[in-house]
Amino acid sequence: MRVLVTGSSGRVGRSAVAVLAAAGHDVRGFDLRASGRDVPGWQEITGSFDDPDACERAVAGIEAVLHLGAFMSWVEADRAAMFRANVEGTRVLLDAASKAGARRFVFASSGEVYPENAPLSLPVSEDHPLRANSPYGLTKLLGEELVRFHQRAGRMETVILRFSHTQDASELLDPGSFFSGPRFFLQPRIRQQERMGNSAVAELLRAADPGEPAHVLARNEAGRPYRMHITDTRDMVAGLVLALESDKAAGETFNLGATDPVDFGSLVPAMAEITGWPVVAVDLPGAGVDYKTSNARIRERLGFRPQWTIERMLQEAAGTWRTSTHA
Ligand code: NAD
């Protein structure tokens, strides 16, 4: 199949491109940034989703689109650019794909459309009300609406995948990584909270700083460790391939992610055993993060079988840690 993968220089897109190309699909990438991928036959369009000319070039002759590219930011200064990329960009790309005769359009949405960090009921299923409470979550919800519009218009089969939090295993123990740095390491968390203008939280964290590199164990105000899903990129790509190829996926919406959530109360001490760094537990204001999202629908209907438990991911990350400059 001739497949366009947007966000092809990103975490999930890179991996999707490699898996689809290895399976014999004819793959084209589309991203703001060049991928640096250098394999025979590889084509990529460098440009922005909200540029109609770039979209037109990207979708020419394409049978299916995996729209994985997006601007993920929780910083106020990025807001306008994020809406342009995620909402206007998705609108322009959908129109271009439909006009070019693409048969299927798979959209990477997010658990932030519910949102998972303030669930009304657990486990969070696809039928949970959609009440995004972050600007990023809102861009994904608006993106879904645009996708549903095209499904109703009847010219393309669409599939919406509500992504779990997703990481490469190697990112787990990397204090410099976009997600894991602030999530599991104290000093990056302090810097993130300062950047986001959360000075009260930054102060709370700074007060706990032992003055040496440390892990942070985030707990809510009642002392309960955070609990959320963390899914390996490889499992997400396996789900994407099912959404792309299965007849049963057309017109559907699925949660895509690991089956079980990860309890930071056991994960962070296990990380510290590998790094040898101290764990600083901090009780943060509010209810904190504590959810379980159901992946039953994609398991039952499409046969999704995630392979990468957090234990396997951490084992792999430990190998990277031992050869890194942090060890
Ligand atoms: P990523 O940030 O690693 O990759 C996104 C890519 O999109 C980047 O390469 C970026 O250059 C590109 N991009 C951004 N704006 C663009 C624009 N205007 N035009 C062209 N390219 C643009 O993200 P990821 O982790 O690979 O996530 C893939 C998708 O999954 C995204 O849609 C994201 O919103 C969604 N998602 C991710 C997570 C997660 O935890 N990683 C969770 C929920 C949903």
Side-chain angles (χ1 to χ4, degrees):
M1 205 188 306
R2 282 191 304 279
V3 187
L4 176 70
V5 176
T6 77
S8 44
S9 299
R11 177 187 294 104
V12 183
R14 262 195 316 263
S15 177
V17 165
V19 167
L20 291 171
H25 292 288
D26 186 354
V27 189
R28 183 184 300 158
F30 182 16
D31 203 296
L32 272 181
R33 304 178 287 154
S35 64
R37 183 179 161 84
D38 184 17
V39 292
W42 166 243
Q43 292 181 328
E44 67 186 350
I45 307 292
T46 313
S48 183
F49 309 137
D50 59 336
D51 173 354
D53 293 337
C55 282
E56 198 181 319
R57 278 183 286 128
V59 297
I62 284 296
E63 292 166 275
V65 178
L66 287 187
H67 185 28
L68 309 181
F71 189 3
M72 279 190 279
S73 174
W74 289 264
V75 175
E76 198 171 338
D78 291 336
R79 195 147 309 161
M82 182 169 73
F83 275 80
R84 266 199 309 281
N86 299 0
V87 184
E88 179 61 1
T90 298
R91 184 191 73 77
V92 174
L93 184 69
L94 276 160
D95 283 349
S98 170
K99 200 165 151 203
R103 193 171 50 77
R104 184 166 288 198
F105 191 100
V106 179
F107 178 61
S109 183
S110 164
E112 285 210 25
V113 297
Y114 295 123
E116 288 165 316
N117 64 10
L120 297 177
S121 56
L122 292 175
V124 178
S125 78
E126 290 83 352
D127 301 323
H128 187 284
L130 304 177
R131 305 177 356 146
N133 64 0
S134 69
Y136 165 71
L138 178 59
T139 67
K140 288 293 176 180
L141 187 51
L142 294 169
E144 283 197 9
E145 230 20 274
L146 293 164
V147 171
R148 281 189 279 272
F149 176 81
H150 276 264
Q151 173 70 28
R152 288 196 295 278
R155 290 185 41 194
M156 288 191 293
E157 298 169 350
T158 66
V159 188
I160 293 172
L161 297 174
R162 294 188 181 137
F163 277 30
S164 145
H165 178 74
T166 302
Q167 292 193 210
D168 292 341
S170 59
E171 290 179 281
L172 275 183
L173 288 177
D174 178 0
S177 96
F178 179 68
F179 288 128
S180 281
R183 186 160 283 126
F184 300 123
F185 296 88
L186 183 63
Q187 287 78 13
R189 176 76 152 242
I190 294 171
R191 289 195 291 277
Q192 178 210 46
Q193 293 300 313
E194 282 168 347
R195 261 197 320 277
M196 291 169 81
N198 299 334
S199 44
V201 171
E203 194 47 52
L204 200 67
L205 293 162
R206 230 180 280 113
D209 190 344
E212 59 177 322
H215 290 281
V216 62
L217 170 54
R219 307 190 303 197
N220 75 356
E221 61 192 12
R224 190 204 56 228
Y226 282 18
R227 188 177 69 125
M228 60 180 277
H229 291 259
I230 296 179
T231 307
D232 190 286
T233 305
R234 288 163 286 198
D235 281 335
M236 298 302 282
V237 172
L240 279 166
V241 172
L242 292 170
L244 181 71
E245 295 180 343
S246 169
D247 289 338
K248 293 185 197 146
E252 298 288 346
T253 297
F254 299 100
N255 288 333
L256 177 60
T259 303
D260 297 310
V262 175
D263 186 335
F264 287 13
S266 43
L267 176 63
V268 177
M271 289 177 153
E273 268 187 41
I274 297 164
T275 61
W277 291 7
V279 174
V280 173
V282 183
D283 295 349
L284 298 164
V289 177
D290 183 18
Y291 64 82
K292 176 176 167 64
T293 300
S294 170
N295 64 4
R297 185 183 287 181
I298 193 163
R299 280 193 289 116
E300 286 160 17
R301 297 198 193 163
L302 305 189
F304 175 61
R305 297 282 177 272
Q307 305 291 317
W308 287 86
T309 59
I310 194 71
E311 291 78 15
R312 277 189 80 194
M313 289 174 74
L314 192 57
Q315 206 175 21
E316 192 172 283
T320 313
W321 173 268
R322 287 189 196 104
T323 57
S324 77
T325 49
H326 310 295

